[in-house]
Amino acid sequence: MEFTASQIASFIDGKIIGDENALITGVSPIESGETGHLSFIAQDRFTHYLDNSKCSVIIVSESLITKDSYNPTIISVKDAYLSFQILMNLYQEMQGRKEGIENGSSIHDTAIIGDKAYIGAFTYVSEKAKIGEGSQIYPQVYIGKGVKIGKNCKIDSGARIYDYCIIGDNCVIHSNTVIGGDGFGFQPTSEGFKKIPQLGNVIIEDDVEIGSNCSIDRATIGSTVIGKGTKIDNLIQIAHNVKIGKNNVIAAQAGIAGSTNIGDWNQIGGQVGIVGHIKIGNQVKIQAQSGVNSSINDKETLYGSPAINYNDYLRNYIHFRNFTEIVNRIKNLENNSKD
């Protein structure tokens, strides 16, 4: 696709500085711009590229513009990062959505497929499953018995959604993620560990995105719940009966043990481990590689393993780095006091 600077500016309510007819045929990172490409600058540390980038058009936050003219054409906007996101979403929408049922897929007679939905080749849709209008189910997906998938969802190749799980509208589930596998429930006996049946399901509310290679386990009884607007990175384990609230972000390789209840608007860093049967409040920030083993109040920021208040951790770590010196000073003081 080709666009002029003027057309691009009209999409994002931008002001042009330079040639409004500059032609765009692609996009580039600002560090490796190319002629005919579009990029953006939203931070002061990248403004030196305004004078030496090869990009033909650059979207720039208005607060960073200091001259009346530049070598590339500039589109001035309030927030360049947000404007660039808007453009990317528009471009994605222009690619169109697939519709129809491809050869090689298998759909049970009792399944319901909504209008304008797409079912890719070698996908299996089980009995009494329901797929909403406009949802995109890519090849080699498994949809279990009684599964309900809302409108305008995207389920990428290789995902597995087990029986009776429920997925809301506008959700994205990336490749090889498993929704509704058995929770890790075993009862120790004199003869070994006996499996506890996992009879619940998983409920994923609207506008959730789940990365690739995640496992979200079904509840023992009841439901494991992922709240509206939550975004989950790749390689994440969420155990049975966990309840996650609205608009959380969880980074890669985090693990959340069973029956933990997490509130709204939390930020959980990569490789964080959270024990089971605790409660985490709202607007909590947990730094990467922290281990959380007790309940957390609202608006805490934590670090370490076991995790403690972030600022306390930093102060303590300064002492830890000098621990040998501190011990030697104490020994010297003790020896001097004996003298």
Side-chain angles (χ1 to χ4, degrees):
M1 295 186 182
E2 294 183 348
F3 297 92
T4 65
S6 178
Q7 288 173 317
I8 293 169
S10 70
F11 295 143
I12 54 177
D13 195 25
K15 177 183 177 183
I16 294 176
I17 302 173
D19 181 9
E20 66 178 19
N21 295 314
L23 193 64
I24 294 303
T25 59
V27 295
S28 294
I30 193 63
E31 299 92 338
S32 55
E34 299 179 27
T35 301
H37 279 204
L38 172 74
S39 193
F40 74 99
I41 294 176
Q43 294 179 319
D44 183 69
R45 62 194 178 102
F46 294 107
T47 53
H48 63 280
Y49 286 107
L50 287 170
D51 294 314
N52 59 26
S53 174
K54 294 181 180 179
C55 285
S56 297
V57 180
I58 304 175
I59 300 168
V60 183
S61 296
E62 59 187 21
S63 62
L64 303 178
I65 294 174
T66 58
K67 299 191 300 184
D68 293 331
S69 65
Y70 293 90
N71 185 38
T73 294
I74 302 300
I75 300 177
S76 172
V77 294
K78 185 174 181 180
D79 186 332
Y81 186 66
L82 178 60
S83 295
F84 198 74
Q85 286 182 325
I86 291 170
L87 287 176
M88 288 191 293
N89 285 324
L90 287 171
Y91 181 77
Q92 189 175 47
E93 290 174 9
M94 290 176 184
Q95 305 309 301
R97 298 169 68 89
K98 292 185 175 183
E99 294 182 16
I101 298 172
E102 290 186 345
N103 292 333
S105 59
S106 179
I107 300 174
H108 195 275
D109 292 342
T110 60
I112 299 173
I113 310 298
D115 293 340
K116 298 182 179 180
Y118 163 67
I119 309 295
F122 307 111
T123 283
Y124 184 86
V125 182
S126 302
E127 62 186 282
K128 298 183 179 179
K130 183 177 180 179
I131 296 172
E133 178 181 344
S135 284
Q136 311 277 288
I137 313 298
Y138 281 78
Q140 297 183 332
V141 169
Y142 171 80
I143 307 293
K145 182 192 302 183
V147 166
K148 295 179 181 179
I149 297 174
K151 299 177 182 179
N152 300 315
C153 292
K154 180 183 178 184
I155 314 296
D156 270 319
S157 299
R160 304 289 186 261
I161 303 174
Y162 285 26
D163 296 353
Y164 303 110
C165 291
I166 298 172
I167 296 172
D169 298 337
N170 309 311
C171 291
V172 178
I173 298 174
H174 290 277
S175 293
N176 300 319
T177 280
V178 177
I179 306 295
D182 279 0
F184 194 61
F186 296 90
Q187 177 66 35
T189 72
S190 59
E191 299 176 352
F193 289 91
K194 301 297 183 181
K195 185 176 179 65
I196 300 170
Q198 305 293 293
L199 304 178
N201 71 344
V202 174
I203 297 175
I204 296 173
E205 297 181 354
D206 298 346
D207 305 312
V208 170
E209 182 157 350
I210 300 170
S212 60
N213 296 298
C214 296
S215 292
I216 301 178
D217 294 343
R218 67 176 52 248
T220 306
I221 54 174
S223 299
T224 301
V225 179
I226 310 298
K228 181 177 180 178
T230 287
K231 313 301 181 186
I232 294 173
D233 200 357
N234 306 322
L235 295 165
I236 286 173
Q237 159 69 19
I238 297 173
H240 55 191
N241 293 94
V242 167
K243 301 286 191 296
I244 295 177
K246 298 176 182 178
N247 297 309
N248 292 276
V249 288
I250 306 175
Q253 297 183 350
I256 303 171
S259 299
T260 281
N261 193 322
I262 296 175
D264 303 332
W265 293 100
N266 297 296
Q267 298 177 33
I268 298 174
Q271 295 186 333
V272 164
I274 301 175
V275 302
H277 300 272
I278 64 171
K279 183 176 181 179
I280 293 175
N282 305 309
Q283 300 180 53
V284 172
K285 296 179 181 179
I286 305 174
Q287 306 294 325
Q289 294 190 328
S290 294
V292 180
N293 62 4
S294 60
S295 293
I296 306 300
N297 296 324
D298 293 351
K299 299 183 179 181
E300 292 274 2
T301 300
L302 306 176
Y303 195 27
S305 186
I308 61 174
N309 177 273
Y310 179 69
N311 290 324
D312 289 343
Y313 180 91
L314 293 181
R315 284 191 290 268
N316 291 338
Y317 188 70
I318 292 171
H319 297 308
F320 175 76
R321 291 178 61 185
N322 298 305
F323 191 67
T324 300
E325 179 185 347
I326 292 170
V327 170
N328 288 334
R329 288 172 62 188
I330 291 172
K331 287 182 177 178
N332 288 335
L333 287 171
E334 290 176 339
N335 290 333
N336 292 334
S337 65
K338 291 177 182 178
D339 296 337

